[in-house]
C-alpha cells in the first residue's frame, strides 16, 4: 500500500475514534442527567413536586419529572408498560391486588415510604355506636381499598368477615352483619363529596386531606398504626424489569431525607407516618 493510502487510512481511523469518543461522552452525560418520571396523585403528587425541586434531589444527582394521573389502575398500567418510571401513591395491599389482577403486567416494589390510617367518617353520627340499623355505608369500588374498608369495619365491630379474607375480598365475604348495613360502592376519590348523601363513608387519608379532613380529628374511627396495618404501608413501585435500577432505588433514600420528612410532617399534620422498612417486612 502506498504511503498516501496509509496516510488517508490513518486519518479515517482517527476520525472514527474521535466520533466514537464524542458519542460515548455524550451518552455518558445523558445517562447522568436522564430524567426519572414519577407518576403520582393527590397529596403524594404535591410531595413529589416538592422533592423534585429540592436541594436533596440535586445533591443526589436526580432529575425528576412528576406526572399527575388521577386513576390508580391507569397509573399502575402506565408504570408496568414503561410509560412512567416509578409511581408513588399506593399501599402494599393495593399493589398486591393489582399484580394478582394483572399477571402479564407485573410491578415490583422499590421501597417503603409512609403509613396513613384509613378513616370512617360521618356527618350524621359522632361515634360507631350511634350508627343505626340499616345504615348505608359508602366503600371504595376498587378491589384493594374495598378489602381494606371491610377490614376496618370489622375492626370497628360492625361486621364479621370469613377467616381467609384476602386482598381481593368483597362484601360477599361478610359472614355476619348484625346491623343490617347496606353497602354502596363509590369511586374512592369522591369520598368527601358524598359525605352528606350517605350515613357513613370510608375515606383514605390522601383523599381525606384533599377534602380538608384530618383523619386523627375528623373521623369517628380509624386504623391503628401498628404491625396489623403493615400491608397498608405505602411504597414506590416500578415495572418488574426495572426493579434493580440503581437510580430508581435512590428515590427511596431521597424520600427519607430529614428535611423532606420535616416538610411532610408539617404540611400534612402528622397524618403520614414515615416507614423505613425493607420490602420483606411487608410480605
Amino acid at each position: 500500500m502506498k504511503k498516501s493510502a496509509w496516510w488517508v487510512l490513518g486519518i479515517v481511523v482517527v476520525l472514527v475514534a474521535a466520533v466514537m469518543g464524542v458519542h460515548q461522552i455524550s451518552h455518558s452525560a445523558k445517562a447522568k442527567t436522564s430524567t426519572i418520571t414519577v407518576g403520582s396523585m393527590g397529596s403524594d403528587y404535591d410531595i413529589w413536586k416538592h422533592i423534585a425541586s429540592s436541594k436533596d434531589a440535586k445533591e443526589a444527582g436526580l432529575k425528576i419529572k412528576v406526572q399527575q394521573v388521577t386513576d390508580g389502575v391507569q397509573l399502575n398500567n402506565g408504570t408496568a408498560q414503561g410509560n412512567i418510571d416509578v409511581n408513588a401513591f399506593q399501599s402494599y395491599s393495593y399493589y398486591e391486588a393489582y399484580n394478582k389482577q394483572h399477571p402479564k403486567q407485573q410491578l415490583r416494589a422499590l421501597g417503603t415510604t409512609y403509613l396513613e390510617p384509613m378513616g370512617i367518617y360521618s356527618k350524621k353520627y359522632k361515634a360507631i355506636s350511634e350508627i343505626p340499623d340499616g345504615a348505608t355505608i359508602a366503600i371504595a369500588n376498587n378491589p384493594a381499598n374495598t378489602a381494606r374498608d371491610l377490614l376496618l369495619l370489622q375492626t370497628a365491630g360492625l361486621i364479621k368477615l370469613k377467616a381467609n379474607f384476602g386482598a381481593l375480598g368483597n362484601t360477599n365475604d361478610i359472614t355476619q352483619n348484625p346491623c343490617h348495613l347496606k353497602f354502596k360502592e363509590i369511586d374512592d376519590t369522591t369520598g368527601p363529596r358524598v359525605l352528606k348523601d350517605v350515613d357513613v363513608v370510608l375515606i383514605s387519608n390522601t383523599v381525606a386531606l384533599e377534602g380538608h379532613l384530618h383523619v386523627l380529628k375528623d373521623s369517628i374511627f380509624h386504623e391503628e398504626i401498628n404491625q396489623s396495618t403493615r400491608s397498608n404501608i405505602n411504597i414506590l413501585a416500578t415495572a418488574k424489569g426495572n426493579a434493580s435500577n440503581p437510580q430508581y432505588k435512590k428515590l427511596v433514600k431521597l424520600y427519607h431525607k430529614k428535611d423532606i420528612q420535616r416538610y411532610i410532617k408539617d404540611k400534612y399534620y402528622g397524618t403520614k407516618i414515615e416507614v423505613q422498612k425493607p420490602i420483606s417486612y411487608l410480605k
Side-chain angles (χ1 to χ4, degrees):
M1 185 179 290
K2 295 181 179 180
K3 287 185 178 181
S4 59
W6 281 110
W7 182 77
V8 171
L9 180 61
I11 290 175
V12 170
V13 170
V14 170
L15 287 173
V16 170
V19 169
M20 289 296 291
V22 169
H23 174 74
Q24 288 175 354
I25 292 169
S26 175
H27 180 76
S28 177
K30 184 178 178 182
K32 288 181 181 179
T33 59
S34 60
T35 301
I36 300 172
T37 300
V38 175
S40 197
M41 63 174 69
S43 55
D44 288 317
Y45 171 79
D46 295 329
I47 287 171
W48 281 93
K49 287 286 285 185
H50 173 81
I51 292 173
S53 62
S54 69
K55 180 180 70 174
D56 294 290
K58 187 176 182 179
E59 290 176 349
L62 294 172
K63 187 176 180 182
I64 303 167
K65 174 186 175 183
V66 188
Q67 182 174 334
Q68 189 169 33
V69 181
T70 57
D71 180 85
V73 175
Q74 288 184 15
L75 182 44
N76 271 342
N77 286 343
T79 305
Q81 293 161 9
N83 300 319
I84 293 169
D85 298 319
V86 175
N87 68 45
F89 80 100
Q90 65 190 319
S91 66
Y92 188 75
S93 59
Y94 189 102
Y95 153 89
E96 279 193 308
Y98 177 85
N99 275 348
K100 286 179 180 179
Q101 289 185 303
H102 300 83
K104 294 182 180 180
Q105 290 192 160
Q106 293 288 286
L107 298 173
R108 287 294 177 267
L110 291 166
T112 62
T113 51
Y114 66 88
L115 174 64
E116 56 185 352
M118 175 82 73
I120 300 176
Y121 296 82
S122 177
K123 286 287 187 183
K124 299 178 181 179
Y125 312 109
K126 294 182 179 180
I128 291 294
S129 59
E130 294 180 9
I131 298 173
D133 192 86
T136 298
I137 312 287
I139 60 174
N141 65 358
N142 68 71
N145 280 342
T146 299
R148 184 175 179 180
D149 287 352
L150 293 173
L151 285 168
L152 181 55
L153 290 172
Q154 176 174 253
T155 302
L158 291 170
I159 60 172
K160 191 78 174 178
L161 301 168
K162 67 180 185 181
N164 61 340
F165 185 81
L168 298 179
N170 56 49
T171 53
N172 293 327
D173 300 317
I174 296 173
T175 58
Q176 294 179 35
N177 183 7
C179 294
H180 308 99
L181 301 174
K182 299 171 185 175
F183 298 95
K184 179 180 181 179
E185 293 194 359
I186 62 168
D187 177 341
D188 58 347
T189 63
T190 67
R193 299 201 293 275
V194 303
L195 258 175
K196 295 179 180 179
D197 303 324
V198 295
D199 298 305
V200 175
V201 186
L202 281 84
I203 310 174
S204 69
N205 186 55
T206 295
V207 175
L209 287 167
E210 292 174 18
H212 307 290
L213 297 169
H214 188 308
V215 66
L216 304 179
K217 296 179 180 179
D218 299 322
S219 68
I220 61 173
F221 193 86
H222 59 78
E223 291 172 333
E224 291 295 324
I225 307 301
N226 55 35
Q227 283 194 343
S228 69
T229 55
R230 65 184 177 183
S231 65
N232 296 317
I233 291 170
N234 276 44
I235 61 167
L236 297 183
T238 189
K240 180 180 178 180
N242 296 330
S244 59
N245 187 307
Q247 294 296 96
Y248 296 178
K249 288 182 177 181
K250 283 184 181 181
L251 293 174
V252 180
K253 292 182 180 179
L254 180 59
Y255 178 87
H256 292 289
K257 289 288 186 178
K258 287 184 179 179
D259 52 336
I260 298 294
Q261 286 304 307
R262 186 161 50 247
Y263 164 84
I264 294 170
K265 183 177 180 180
D266 292 344
K267 186 170 178 63
Y268 299 105
Y269 320 108
T271 62
K272 294 179 183 286
I273 296 94
E274 180 186 14
V275 178
Q276 195 169 8
K277 294 283 188 180
I279 293 299
S280 58
Y281 172 79
L282 308 179
K283 297 178 180 179

